[in-house]
Amino acid sequence: MQTERTAYPALRGRRILLGITGSIAAYKAAALCRLLKTAGAEVRVVMTPLAKQFITPLTMATLSKNPILVEFFDPENGAWHSHVSLGEWADCFLIAPATANTLAKMCAGIADNLLLTTYLSARCPVVVAPAMDLDMYAHAATQENLQALARRGVAIVEPAEGELASGLVGKGRMAEPEEIAAFLHTLFSQAPGNDAPERNPSEGSLGNSGSAPHASSAGPLLGKRFVVTAGATVEAIDPVRFISNRSTGKMGYAIAGELARRGAAVVLVSGPTALPTPAGVERRDVVSADEMFDAAVDAFAEADGAVMCAAVADYTPAEVSDVKIKKDNGELTLTLRRTRDIAAHLGARKGSRLLVGFALETDHEQSNAEAKLARKNFDFIVLNSLRDAGAGFGVDTNKVTFIDRGGRQELPLMAKTEVAAHIAQKIESLLK
Ligand code: CTP
């Protein structure tokens, strides 16, 4: 119990509305509910009528310690279950498992059960954990629905590959309860004002809005579109080896999440990383610098600005061997070719759009950063030095200096999520 409590501390005191739909994976909702409760969250459960065939309301009521909601009104006493109040009560609406059917209805705005009406009126972040057979998941209809939902700010905990209820093996298994809990933990950790809201006991009833983190559909950057590049690129040498760098993507992911929370539509062009996609962000995965170039240029065509946070390889093997390179006794020389500079390319074409760059330096920090600001036509550049303790790769903190044509602003050491908030704030003021 103690282990679970400390595993997801950001869930303590959060109000999570757990939506369960009609999938065999509904049995995992029991473990998920228990995990959330043990982490100190308040849980209420809304089920679709079909979900009751897969897991009993009694089980979920016992685990969540709250009555289960399925119908628009209580069949016993006629009491009305307000979907608006449910949506207002929650700090997060988590639909796990989410079937292809429910995802399609969410996408189309169909409101034929309490879970769906709650979704349509929810103002809190919405997270879905899809669960279905591999072909249903891979179907263009499902994929397009998921993309549309992601564009509208719904966060998706991707299903895993594995054996499915059908006996087939493929992608479609709902993510494990621990992974979903960790996703919510990250979501709440990244929210501005990380702590769970203090609530007095009278706020416990449905109908009080509490202070939920804002959904990405409302905020000062509403209507703005941003591209964020994040993480390291990976340049193949042969099918086994590659060249990369130590970037983990944490800073870029924090920025993408922060911009989305302020209402922007965000495309996150990401190198390989284990980080969960921030709520409300559309993520496009790439591997190499060339792929990142294409994805970023494509997304920038419709954007109002971009934040270039990725550690893009400056060189890539001139030739990639199709087969594993075998060793021999002599030395091996690799010929590398220059990659294209994404930031410089966008900078030359940005017009009135906003472009923010990063510079990670080890020496001559100020002059190097100023040179990059000019060369890549950034509006401002975020300088961090590897010489500063607590700054750089893999850590959760950063110490940065903003440099623009008007001067420099040095910030103290702070969490990367806070740095992201400062960057978003500066973007907001420049857009005004
Ligand atoms: N950048 C980019 N595409 C590249 C290289 C860099 O978009 N191919 C962006 C980075 O995301 C960052 C900025 O340019 O915002 C500066 O990156 P950095 O690696 O510090 O600069 P380089 O131009 O590669 O210069 P150097 O390697 O000489 O430090």
Side-chain angles (χ1 to χ4, degrees):
M1 206 144 166
Q2 191 58 35
T3 324
E4 286 168 344
R5 249 180 213 290
T6 50
Y8 319 105
L11 297 186
R12 190 185 303 263
R14 302 293 181 177
R15 291 169 166 176
I16 296 167
L17 181 61
L18 175 60
I20 306 176
T21 69
S23 155
I24 187 68
Y27 79 91
K28 290 189 191 172
L32 177 59
C33 178
R34 197 179 164 279
L35 212 53
L36 301 175
K37 289 289 292 178
T38 313
E42 270 185 75
V43 181
R44 286 183 173 264
V45 178
V46 56
M47 297 169 84
T48 61
L50 191 60
K52 290 197 296 179
Q53 313 269 343
F54 290 90
I55 188 157
T56 71
L58 179 61
T59 304
M60 294 313 301
T62 310
L63 290 170
S64 67
K65 300 193 170 43
N66 271 313
I68 302 308
L69 303 159
V70 180
E71 308 294 345
F72 289 106
F73 55 88
D74 190 320
E76 302 276 299
N77 60 18
W80 177 247
H81 296 147
S82 166
H83 54 89
V84 176
S85 306
L86 270 176
E88 283 184 344
W89 172 85
D91 292 331
C92 173
F93 186 15
L94 165 66
I95 305 175
T99 58
N101 184 46
T102 290
L103 292 168
K105 287 181 177 178
M106 286 167 69
C107 195
I110 294 172
D112 63 358
N113 61 42
L114 183 62
L115 185 147
L116 288 163
T117 48
T118 304
Y119 162 67
L120 285 176
S121 51
R123 292 191 187 160
C124 58
V126 177
V127 177
V128 294
M132 65 200 74
D133 210 43
L134 76 165
D135 294 316
M136 289 175 87
Y137 183 70
H139 197 284
T142 306
Q143 287 303 314
E144 279 168 26
N145 289 337
L146 281 168
Q147 281 163 23
L149 290 172
R151 275 198 300 279
R152 293 177 202 161
V154 173
I156 297 158
V157 190
E158 283 211 20
E161 302 219 5
E163 191 175 337
L164 303 164
S166 61
L168 297 171
V169 175
K171 192 165 180 177
R173 273 172 75 99
M174 186 176 88
E176 292 306 315
E178 293 75 13
E179 198 186 325
I180 298 172
F183 188 96
L184 294 190
H185 167 78
T186 307
L187 179 90
F188 286 121
S189 314
Q190 290 177 348
N194 273 347
D195 298 331
E198 291 288 332
R199 294 181 174 109
N200 62 45
S202 66
E203 279 187 277
S205 61
L206 288 179
N208 285 325
S209 60
S211 52
H214 290 293
S216 57
S217 55
L221 293 176
L222 184 64
K224 300 290 177 198
R225 302 175 76 90
F226 280 94
V227 183
V228 178
T229 65
T233 64
V234 174
E235 312 299 321
I237 298 171
D238 68 13
V240 183
R241 289 89 168 203
F242 57 83
I243 299 171
S244 191
N245 60 64
R246 296 186 195 280
S247 170
T248 57
K250 282 187 176 174
M251 192 64 247
Y253 273 58
I255 294 168
E258 184 62 35
L259 292 173
R261 253 189 308 281
R262 290 168 188 242
V266 181
V267 174
L268 174 62
V269 180
S270 171
T273 161
L275 297 174
T277 309
V281 168
E282 182 187 339
R283 172 165 151 189
R284 299 192 189 161
D285 287 329
V286 297
V287 176
S288 65
D290 282 346
E291 285 174 17
M292 187 171 274
F293 183 97
D294 292 341
V297 169
D298 181 59
F300 194 63
E302 293 184 0
D304 299 289
V307 183
M308 313 305 290
C309 202
V312 189
D314 291 323
Y315 293 92
T316 191
E319 279 175 25
V320 183
S321 172
D322 292 342
V323 292
K324 187 179 168 195
I325 300 171
K326 288 291 181 190
K327 62 178 167 297
D328 62 24
N329 290 331
E331 289 182 346
L332 174 72
T333 304
L334 275 181
T335 305
L336 305 178
R337 67 165 168 82
R338 279 291 306 270
T339 56
R340 292 167 293 176
D341 192 315
I342 310 166
H345 181 92
L346 300 186
R349 291 157 183 79
K350 78 181 187 72
S352 58
R353 290 174 288 178
L354 200 74
L355 194 63
V356 182
F358 268 76
L360 176 66
E361 306 293 342
T362 56
D363 58 288
H364 301 97
E365 288 89 344
Q366 176 82 16
S367 56
N368 281 339
E370 278 172 3
K372 283 175 193 173
L373 177 79
R375 195 167 71 236
K376 307 198 188 199
N377 198 20
F378 290 133
D379 291 272
F380 71 95
I381 192 160
V382 183
L383 163 67
N384 45 139
S385 169
L386 271 188
R387 286 199 284 193
D388 285 323
F393 299 122
V395 291
D396 288 324
T397 51
N398 208 353
K399 186 173 181 320
V400 304
T401 303
F402 293 160
I403 300 175
D404 59 22
R405 285 165 187 81
R408 68 201 300 275
Q409 181 196 352
E410 205 172 322
L411 302 180
L413 182 73
M414 57 179 76
K416 281 184 175 166
T417 49
E418 281 179 70
V419 174
H422 280 274
I423 292 171
Q425 192 61 49
K426 190 163 169 75
I427 288 174
E428 253 179 65
S429 59
L430 287 173
L431 286 176
K432 270 181 194 150

